Amino acid sequence: MISHLPVRPRHCDAQAMMHAIRYYEYFEDAFLDWLGARGGYDRLRREGADLVVKASGCEHHAPARLGDVLAVESAPARVGTTSLTMTFTVRREGELVAVGTITYVCVRDGVAAPLPGMLTTPP
């Protein structure tokens, strides 16, 4: 799934470049779009599950700047029994800007639990 997200002034430093920490906000927005195509966060919670972040990372390839519209592609890189690793590929007009990964662990009642079917099958 691809989300198109603008770089806003609040995301930028004094040089009008997006600050490195802000990429994670874009990953989260793209993940919520991906999750929405599967019924959304509300469905996940109705199924008694939640997700917590176990690990995250970002490789920067080119700067994003104020006014850019970033295409953030979100796709599962690995689906385990209790965890899901997503890859987020960020492009600006086809140019690679960044690649992020986030591993989420499914929890129920505060302990790791199997991923619900909505996260393991295509929408």
Side-chain angles (χ1 to χ4, degrees):
M1 164 170 260
I2 297 177
S3 302
H4 292 89
L5 306 166
V7 176
R8 301 186 187 280
R10 70 177 175 271
H11 300 137
C12 296
D13 60 19
Q15 290 79 39
M17 291 176 30
M18 190 159 78
H19 190 278
I21 196 68
R22 296 295 192 159
Y23 285 86
Y24 291 93
E25 295 176 43
Y26 285 70
F27 302 158
E28 180 71 10
D29 287 345
F31 180 69
L32 290 174
D33 288 346
W34 181 87
L35 189 60
R38 285 151 181 78
Y41 191 72
D42 289 339
R43 178 180 171 195
L44 181 72
R45 299 287 290 156
R46 280 194 308 273
E47 293 188 16
D50 204 350
L51 298 172
V52 296
V53 174
K54 178 180 180 184
S56 63
C58 182
E59 296 176 8
H60 301 270
H61 297 270
R65 299 184 185 282
L66 179 62
D68 287 347
V69 175
L70 303 177
V72 184
E73 181 179 7
S74 49
R78 182 186 165 285
V79 179
T81 305
T82 62
S83 66
L84 169 67
T85 299
M86 296 290 294
T87 297
F88 302 95
T89 304
V90 182
R91 296 182 188 280
R92 176 191 48 246
E93 297 178 1
E95 178 187 12
L96 183 62
V97 173
V99 178
T101 58
I102 299 179
T103 299
Y104 301 91
V105 174
C106 180
V107 295
R108 286 188 174 87
D109 299 320
V111 297
L115 291 170
M118 68 179 282
L119 298 179
T120 60
T121 57

